[in-house]
């Protein structure tokens, strides 16, 4: 005779979240391109962190006698127009890119996230006003906004961080708001509300964790563009105020004059930027695939 | 001579996680003008069988691994794509489950109907248009000339399904395959659409395969029924025979899980325990065994072939005298079929052999969240 | 449909308003003393006083804003502090160069991107698709200036088949009529110069178009794949239509929608990218002018570029929205 089964009373939402991360990690580690991306990122971060230890020379010091040497036994990547060791400058350049990149994305997450969450959670007029502000920022295309901010505030690392953050913040604002709006009417939120959970609790325990996944993906991809944008600003002469600083974009500006004689001066910083960007792009794509709950098997 | 003969059809899907054994040796035949029902739950392989017939399995995952499909004397599995294309729409037409998504949203109804006609007949656009108006009238769409210029989203679900039927019958195909045509519609509209299908197919002598999971739908419309489970046909009989003397435990279970108004005292509804099998594993033994109340030891080991219900009866595959056949080692008696459970006192269904205990526990429930993870 | 257009235009007004405030702040609220910052090293007491009255810097803010609005609407975008010429007329001279570059890049990105995306979708999970995905990845990961310099090195320095920079061989003299170099060369009938101008356009257009190329390829591929799995495509095949017909009328007609939207959005990125591309290739356009202006602290120039580029972007977005509604009957009716 068939026996009726009783099911344990477990809220599906919480269980799904815990299972999601473990699942996602497993899937990520099986994703070939994502692993390549992680490897590139590891190289990038290692270069930045270990620069003081492994850089053979002082990146700021150079003797004019040594200028413009192609890669050789002493200077593995050659020397630049001031005689400075290119390898050391690349390694220290990773520091600038990493720090500025990470800080600006965190700032963008903070600024954009707060605005987006406020707009999504509050709705109504506040939502309208905040989104119009975001629209204005989005109307000024990409690097032009960053250039504008640096021009306005003058050069300096904090200004660069703010400028790059400003280009990415609207994206996070929109993302968070859309995510909150989509989750607002979902069944488990209604269920939580019906048992009397407070609005704040609903926001924190139920809605945010689900928005988290798209944020993580967006933030990773934003890191890639941040690194490129920072270098871009450097290339245009809007980089760190001290002209001797080893920054990949600024190194490229210097190298432009010597395109014919010293093409390697363009190759190495260029490759450094590209590898870092590829790393975060691959990881971001991999995360997107492994974190998509609909693809769970 | 049978119009359609499906012989030992096997279809597999290759996916990231391995093979899905969707259809495992299905055979049936259809005479011209017959109306056959293919019944089973989601995932039993009924839709896949029909996609395989017209060669529309999703590529590259789906493949016909073995078997033949003989239509009008030709083996469809051996035909080139361009030959198949000629047959599709002209000789074999298909209507699908969800009318909301089965029509191209950016083309007008006229464009979609005219292209069907012009794909197979050399007619002018004006002539095709006239024919389209005729067809829309035939399926009962008011103001057809006007509505030709509308877009699909401007129609209701029931109307859209009528348009699909009109498009399918445009070229007077010999065989119409209707895959769950009414599942996505409201109950009242369902009845109308089914009646339309019946009138048009019987009136035109069109052969019909009706696929559904709803026994009520096939009852009024078909002459014969194949019951499918886990990619096998487990029972086949004329409609009256099937409802009168359901014999496979699955069929018995199906009939007893539907409330019926025509029975005297309300009886208890007996749900079939468990869940459909995981099609990712090649089946061992009878696929229904984990859920079957009549199982014996042999059921776990040997997959029963489909045989006449009354042993020794000669097999008639098609027509009103078709033999009632089932694939079962230990079918319920007539009395047990009426009641819906075994009547032998002290009867216990055979336990699974060692190593397959988990199939039983998964099949008999447990929290849905636990299920698949526990099994893997 | 008309109502939809009007609604979209009305929705754009607050953004325009906000934009004008932001740009107002750019000059009138420069940190420190705006007048001194504007003049930089050219500051003399008389000039500083003159700037002050011109901008109304001693008046209350809202008056300054109204004064600013009035000036902008009259086409007065200030004067360059370098040569004291009106910014708007200087902009007008250089803008056609940027337009040519942007259009060239767009042509490259769309002309190559859509076929590539379709190809990738058709060969999904096989080698062809893998290559397309790699191209897409490289497009977004290689910055314009790196790509530009690399292209210069390979094609101009090593292979010597294309010029390094500039818009035209400096030895050729073409009178500037429209300031569109391609048009001007044709106007004087100088076919050789026209070809030369095209040769100068190739490398910068490729460099600038690389990112839109990557994105358009990706979106097209995704759109075609998505649509290919839709039920109505299965219906179309079940009707016995040829694969070609299914592809054109059923798949592409529906896949166009997201692709067109993305193309519109790329225009903004192209305008922004032009700034860098023009710098790398010494291209005579607004972008390079703006970069120089920043170094010279010529704020009116920078402000005008931002304003006009943002306006163009907004208008393009509006056109894309309306175009989308036009293409998608579900919104139209």
């Amino acid at each position: 005779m068939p026996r009726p089964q009783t099911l344990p009373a477990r809220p599906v939402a919480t269980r799904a979240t815990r299972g999601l991360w473990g699942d996602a990690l497993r899937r990520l580690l099986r994703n070939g391109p994502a692993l390549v991306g992680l490897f590139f990122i590891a190289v990038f971060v290692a270069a930045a962190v270990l620069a003081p230890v492994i850089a053979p020379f002082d990146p700021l010091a150079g003797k004019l006698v040594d200028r413009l040497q192609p890669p050789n036994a002493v200077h593995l990547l050659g020397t630049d127009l001031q005689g400075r060791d290119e390898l050391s400058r690349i390694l220290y350049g990773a520091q600038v890119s990493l720090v500025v990149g990470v800080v600006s994305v965190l700032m963008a997450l903070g600024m954009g996230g707060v605005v987006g969450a406020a707009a999504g959670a509050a709705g109504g007029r506040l939502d309208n006003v905040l989104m119009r502000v975001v629209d204005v920022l989005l109307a000024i295309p990409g690097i032009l906004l960053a250039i504008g901010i640096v021009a306005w505030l003058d050069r300096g690392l904090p200004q660069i961080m703010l400028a790059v953050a400003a280009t990415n913040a609207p994206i996070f604002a929109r993302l968070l708001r859309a995510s909150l709006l989509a989750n607002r009417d979902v069944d488990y939120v209604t269920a939580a509300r019906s048992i009397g959970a407070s609005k704040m609790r609903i926001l924190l325990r139920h809605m945010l964790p689900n928005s988290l996944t798209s944020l993580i993906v967006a933030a990773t991809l934003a890191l890639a563009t941040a690194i490129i944008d920072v270098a871009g600003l450097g290339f245009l002469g809007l980089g760190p105020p001290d002209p001797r600083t080893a920054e990949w974009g600024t190194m490229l500006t210097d190298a432009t004059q010597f395109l014919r004689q010293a093409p390697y001066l363009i190759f190495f910083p260029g490759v450094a930027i590209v590898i870092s960007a590829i790393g975060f792009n691959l990881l971001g794509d991999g995360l997107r695939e492994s974190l998509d709950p609909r693809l769970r098997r | 001579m049978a119009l359609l003969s499906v012989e030992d059809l096997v279809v597999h899907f290759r996916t990231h996680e391995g093979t899905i054994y969707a259809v495992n040796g299905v055979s049936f035949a259809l005479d011209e003008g017959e109306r056959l029902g293919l019944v089973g739950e989601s995932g039993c392989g009924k839709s896949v069988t029909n996609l395989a017939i017209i060669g529309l399995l999703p590529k590259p995952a789906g493949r016909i691994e073995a078997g033949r499909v003989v239509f009008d004397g030709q083996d469809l599995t051996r035909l080139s794509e361009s030959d198949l294309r000629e047959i599709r729409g002209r000789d074999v037409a298909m209507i699908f489950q969800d009318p909301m998504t089965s029509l191209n949203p950016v083309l007008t109804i006229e464009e979609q109907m005219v292209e069907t006609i012009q794909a197979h007949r050399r007619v002018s656009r004006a002539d095709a248009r006239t024919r389209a108006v005729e067809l829309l009238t035939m399926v009962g769409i008011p103001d057809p000339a006007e509505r030709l210029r509308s877009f699909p989203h401007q129609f209701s679900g029931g109307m859209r399904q009528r348009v699909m039927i009109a498009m399918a019958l445009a070229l007077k195909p010999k065989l119409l395959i209707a895959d769950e045509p009414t599942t996505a519609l409201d109950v009242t509209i369902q009845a109308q659409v089914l009646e339309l299908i019946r009138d048009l197919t019987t009136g035109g002598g069109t052969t019909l395969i009706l696929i559904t999971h709803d026994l009520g739908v096939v009852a009024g419309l078909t002459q014969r029924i194949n019951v499918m489970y886990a990619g096998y046909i487990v029972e086949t009989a004329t409609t009256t025979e099937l409802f009168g003397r359901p014999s496979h435990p699955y069929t018995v279970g199906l009939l007893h899980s539907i409330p019926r108004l025509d029975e005297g005292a309300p009886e208890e509804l007996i749900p079939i325990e468990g869940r459909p099998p995981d099609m990712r594993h090649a089946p061992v033994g009878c696929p229904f065994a984990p859920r079957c109340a009549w199982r014996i030891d042999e059921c776990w080991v040997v997959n029963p072939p489909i045989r006449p219900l009354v042993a020794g009866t000669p097999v008639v595959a098609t027509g009103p005298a078709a033999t009632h056949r089932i694939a079962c080692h230990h079918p319920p008696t007539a009395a047990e079929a009426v009641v819906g459970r075994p009547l032998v006192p002290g009867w216990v269904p055979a336990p699974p052999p060692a190593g397959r205990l988990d199939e039983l526990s998964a099949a008999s429930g447990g929290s849905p969240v636990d299920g698949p993870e526990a099994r893997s | 449909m008309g109502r939809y257009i009007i609604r979209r235009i009305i929705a754009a007004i607050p953004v325009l308003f906000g934009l004008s405030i932001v740009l107002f702040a750019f000059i009138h609220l420069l940190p420190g003393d705006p007048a001194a910052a504007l003049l930089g090293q050219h500051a003399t007491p008389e000039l500083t006083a003159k700037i002050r009255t011109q901008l109304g810097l001693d008046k209350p803010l809202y008056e300054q804003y109204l004064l600013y609005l009035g000036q902008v609407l009259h086409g007065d975008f200030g004067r360059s502090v370098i040569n004291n010429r009106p910014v708007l007329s200087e902009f007008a001279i250089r803008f056609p160069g940027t337009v040519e570059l942007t259009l060239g890049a767009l042509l490259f990105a769309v002309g190559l991107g859509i076929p590539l995306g379709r190809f990738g979708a058709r060969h999904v999970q096989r080698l062809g698709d893998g290559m397309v995905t790699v191209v897409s990845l490289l497009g977004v990961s290689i910055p314009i200036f790196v790509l530009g310099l690399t292209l210069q090195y390979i094609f101009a320095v090593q292979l010597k088949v294309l010029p390094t920079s500039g818009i035209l061989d400096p030895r050729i003299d073409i009178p500037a009529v429209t300031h569109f170099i391609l048009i001007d060369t044709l106007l004087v009938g100088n076919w050789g110069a026209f070809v030369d101008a095209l040769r100068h356009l190739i490398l910068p257009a490729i460099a600038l178009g690389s990112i839109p190329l990557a994105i358009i390829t990706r979106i097209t591929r995704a759109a075609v794949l998505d649509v290919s799995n839709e039920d109505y495509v299965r219906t179309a095949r079940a009707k016995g239509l040829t694969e070609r017909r299914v592809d054109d009328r059923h798949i592409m007609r529906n896949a166009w929608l997201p692709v067109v939207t993305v193309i519109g959005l790329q225009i903004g990125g192209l305008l922004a990218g032009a700034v860098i591309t023009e710098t790398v290739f010494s291209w005579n356009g607004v972008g390079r002018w703006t970069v120089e202006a920043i170094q010279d602290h010529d704020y009116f120039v920078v402000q005008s570029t931002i304003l006009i580029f943002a306006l163009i972007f907004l208008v393009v977005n509006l056109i894309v929205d309306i175009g989308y509604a036009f293409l998608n009957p579900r919104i139209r009716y």
Side-chain angles (χ1 to χ4, degrees), chain C residues 1-328:
Chain C
M1 179 73 176
R3 274 200 312 169
Y4 180 75
I5 297 180
I6 294 182
R7 255 191 300 143
R8 291 293 295 110
I9 295 180
I10 292 182
I13 291 181
V15 180
L16 282 172
F17 190 56
L19 193 61
S20 71
I21 295 184
V22 165
L23 290 162
F24 164 75
F26 184 69
I27 295 211
H28 291 247
L29 292 175
L30 270 175
D33 177 18
L38 282 169
L39 291 173
Q41 39 189 164
H42 306 268
T44 67
E46 312 93 53
L47 275 176
T48 320
K50 200 162 142 218
I51 285 273
R52 252 190 235 288
T53 28
Q54 206 178 10
L55 293 179
L57 283 174
D58 37 359
K59 300 211 190 95
L61 261 179
Y62 71 90
E63 270 195 49
Q64 291 187 39
Y65 177 66
L66 289 173
L67 182 63
Y68 160 76
L69 264 188
Q71 288 169 336
V72 167
L73 289 171
H74 273 97
D76 177 7
F77 282 42
R79 285 170 180 277
S80 163
V81 293
I82 306 300
N83 52 25
N84 204 36
R85 300 242 285 276
V87 165
L88 194 56
S89 47
E90 291 290 286
F91 190 92
I93 294 177
R94 292 174 173 72
F95 190 53
T98 305
V99 170
E100 281 179 319
L101 177 59
T102 311
L103 284 180
L106 190 63
L107 215 70
F108 168 68
V110 172
L112 193 57
I114 294 185
L116 220 57
R118 288 177 76 169
F119 179 78
R122 260 202 291 273
H123 298 263
V124 71
Q125 313 230 326
R126 302 202 301 263
L127 185 62
D129 185 30
M131 294 197 307
V132 167
T133 314
V134 166
V135 164
S136 209
L137 175 70
L138 288 177
V140 283
S141 307
I142 303 183
I144 297 178
F145 46 98
V146 170
L147 182 61
L149 289 170
T150 313
L151 286 174
Q152 274 181 328
Y153 182 67
I154 298 177
F155 289 95
V157 175
Q158 288 293 72
L159 297 177
K160 295 200 199 329
V161 290
L162 288 171
T164 331
S165 52
I167 58 174
L168 196 65
D169 190 326
R171 292 166 296 183
I172 305 178
D173 189 33
I174 299 285
V177 176
T178 64
H179 297 283
F180 283 94
I181 191 73
L182 289 172
I183 299 181
D184 285 343
T185 49
L186 288 177
L187 281 179
V188 292
N190 191 339
W191 184 248
F194 179 75
V195 171
D196 188 58
L198 276 180
R199 287 181 70 228
H200 277 85
L201 183 57
I202 294 179
L203 290 182
I206 293 179
L208 179 57
S210 60
I211 297 180
L213 170 70
I215 297 183
I216 290 175
T217 304
R218 213 188 258 207
I219 293 281
T220 306
R221 178 185 169 278
V224 171
L225 280 178
D226 275 345
V227 170
S228 299
N229 287 326
E230 291 281 350
D231 286 343
Y232 53 85
V233 173
R234 185 179 55 176
T235 309
R237 292 211 173 96
K239 295 196 297 193
L241 302 179
T242 58
E243 203 51 37
R244 172 92 190 257
R245 208 178 166 97
V246 171
D247 210 29
D248 290 336
R249 281 190 101 199
H250 293 267
I251 296 183
M252 283 317 292
R253 282 272 210 117
N254 281 278
W256 274 122
L257 298 172
V259 174
V260 162
T261 315
V262 158
I263 292 178
L265 291 176
Q266 290 308 305
I267 306 265
L270 281 173
L271 289 173
V275 172
I276 297 189
T277 320
E278 290 179 19
T279 308
V280 172
F281 288 92
S282 302
W283 187 266
N284 206 10
V286 167
R288 190 173 68 139
W289 186 49
T290 309
V291 172
E292 288 164 357
I294 295 181
Q295 267 136 17
D296 297 329
H297 294 283
D298 202 345
Y299 289 99
F300 286 113
V301 172
V302 181
Q303 180 202 50
S304 69
T305 307
I306 297 182
L307 173 63
I308 297 181
F309 277 15
L311 273 176
I312 296 177
F313 191 37
L314 282 174
V315 169
V316 168
N317 272 353
L318 195 63
I319 295 178
V320 166
D321 271 345
I322 295 176
Y324 184 87
F326 189 70
L327 285 174
N328 186 354

Side-chain angles (χ1 to χ4, degrees), chain B residues 56 85 88-89 96 101-107 111-112 115-116 119-120 151 153-154 164 167, chain C residues 125 231-232 234-235 237-243 245 249-250 253-254 257 327 329-330 332-333:
Chain B
L56 279 186
R85 240 183 275 132
R88 284 183 209 138
F96 296 98
T101 55
S102 294
L103 289 170
N104 190 335
V106 301
L107 295 177
E111 287 174 298
Q112 298 189 54
E115 78 177 345
T116 316
H120 297 279
F151 289 93
H153 68 278
Q154 293 171 292
M164 293 283 302
M167 271 196 329
Chain C
Q125 313 230 326
D231 286 343
Y232 53 85
R234 185 179 55 176
T235 309
R237 292 211 173 96
K239 295 196 297 193
L241 302 179
T242 58
E243 203 51 37
R245 208 178 166 97
R249 281 190 101 199
H250 293 267
R253 282 272 210 117
N254 281 278
L257 298 172
L327 285 174
R330 276 184 280 209
R332 222 197 314 174
Y333 293 102

Side-chain angles (χ1 to χ4, degrees), chain A residues 1-3 5-8 10 12 15-16 23 30 295-297, chain B residues 16-17 268 270-271 273 280 341 364-370 373:
Chain A
M1 276 299 275
R3 217 178 282 156
Q5 301 283 330
T6 46
L7 299 172
R10 251 190 298 228
V12 183
R15 179 73 194 264
D23 247 13
R30 279 186 298 185
L295 294 178
R296 282 188 76 198
R297 288 173 250 256
Chain B
H16 290 303
E17 272 115 29
E268 97 187 278
I270 308 177
E273 276 186 35
R280 287 177 291 179
R341 46 191 172 78
S364 50
S367 104
V369 180
D370 275 319
E373 277 138 49

